[in-house]
Amino acid sequence: MGETAERPEAGILIRNARIFDGLSDEVRPGHVRIDGRKIAHVGHGEPPPPTESDHIVIDAGGRTLIPGLSDAHAHVMLTGSSPTALLASGAGLGYLTGAAEAEAMLLRGFTTIRDMAGDTGELKRLIDAGRLRGPRIYPSQAGISQTAGHGDFGMIYESPTVLGGTPSRAEELGVMRVANGRPQVLAAVREQLKKGASQIKLMAGGGAASLYDPLDVLQFTADEMRAAVEAATDWGTYVAVHVYTGPGIRRALESGVTVIEHGQLATEDDIKRMADHGAWLSTQPFVEDDHTYADPILAEKNRRICTGVERTFAWALEHGVNIAFGTDLLLDPSKSGRQSEMLTRLASLCGSSLAGLRVATSGNAELFRLSGNRDPYQSPTLTESDGAARPPHHNRLGVLAEGAWADMLLVDGDPTRDLGLLGDPDSNLRLIIKDGRVHKNTL
């Protein structure tokens, strides 16, 4: 495998490819030219342009070229470590395993992730600078939780910080921040923005991995949630909330929340309400053994969540809710490779391989664009065909088009017809390019 991450000065020409651009309903023969970090030209039905001798010319051999994949709910700092390891080790463990997992994600074809709780700022900077290999990262920094909420991992015998206690290990590691009341929520949101968050993650209901909160409980009052939304809006970005149930979804929508994470225990009326509000559903195609819990209470919570997956997707599609795909794999290194398998489940849940692939490319990119001026991958210099400037937050991810970031995969076979091909990235991803750099080339 060619593992260089060098970017040729004069660019790359990929010819004799079948191109899925991330948007259309068809795959068309053509070629793509990359100059620097961007796609300079996409040609269909015309000969490839002449190239200089210092260009890399890649003959795709009729294989399918697609945009890089994305994961809208990842935990790069948490996927490669167990809870016991994180508790018993120094802070460096999470960062080192995070760097290893970032490279593994890239080599699975995931060129962009939205990280939904974890201290990813320094990792992101090193990846963006080309010093480490990994996907683009839209960081949330610490997830924000109330006391006894989904992000409160303090021990039951410890006093909460608001009552004079010390921060939990999860807070010390920058994974979570516990906040109560409007002033603390405002401070917690602003703290994450100060650290470079592109969006804010708030815990609005119970969860499977947390010890103290049944799934049905509501977390954060409407006023606390509105405080988070106000602080995020002041910085031109949005709040996404962890919540499974209808009452929590309704409170979040009424408080101005833009994105619902999970939602598998919503009713059809709740999904309709999301459509009415123009909210996004960032959800995951869970099956029960994606996560393993020794505690029977946590295992039962996980089982209940998984029962709602198929109906949640079906209702969202029926009522026109914007859907994003994520995996939410964490705290079990043996399961991190399921990222690819979980992607393949979109073929049945979204109605076809093409529809599923569109969600995981251009669809997720539309969600990422909600970060507005906090989007770390915006391109203010791009112009439309009429010469007008694009909005500065137009990230141009998830598509193969002129001016888009040069993130793409060459696949043996046609994943628009068989999404299962992407479940075996080692065998079927023949070329991985991210940011104009070749990270894998087995041709």
Side-chain angles (χ1 to χ4, degrees), residues 44-68:
H44 299 287
E46 58 186 77
T51 60
E52 303 294 334
S53 60
D54 54 356
H55 275 60
I56 290 179
V57 180
I58 298 173
D59 191 324
R63 297 175 179 87
T64 308
L65 191 68
I66 66 172

Side-chain angles (χ1 to χ4, degrees), residues 271-290:
I271 299 297
K272 288 180 182 178
R273 191 180 298 253
M274 289 183 61
D276 292 341
H277 280 77
W280 278 77
L281 176 64
S282 172
T283 194
Q284 304 77 37
F286 291 140
V287 296
E288 196 170 342
D289 68 348
D290 287 334

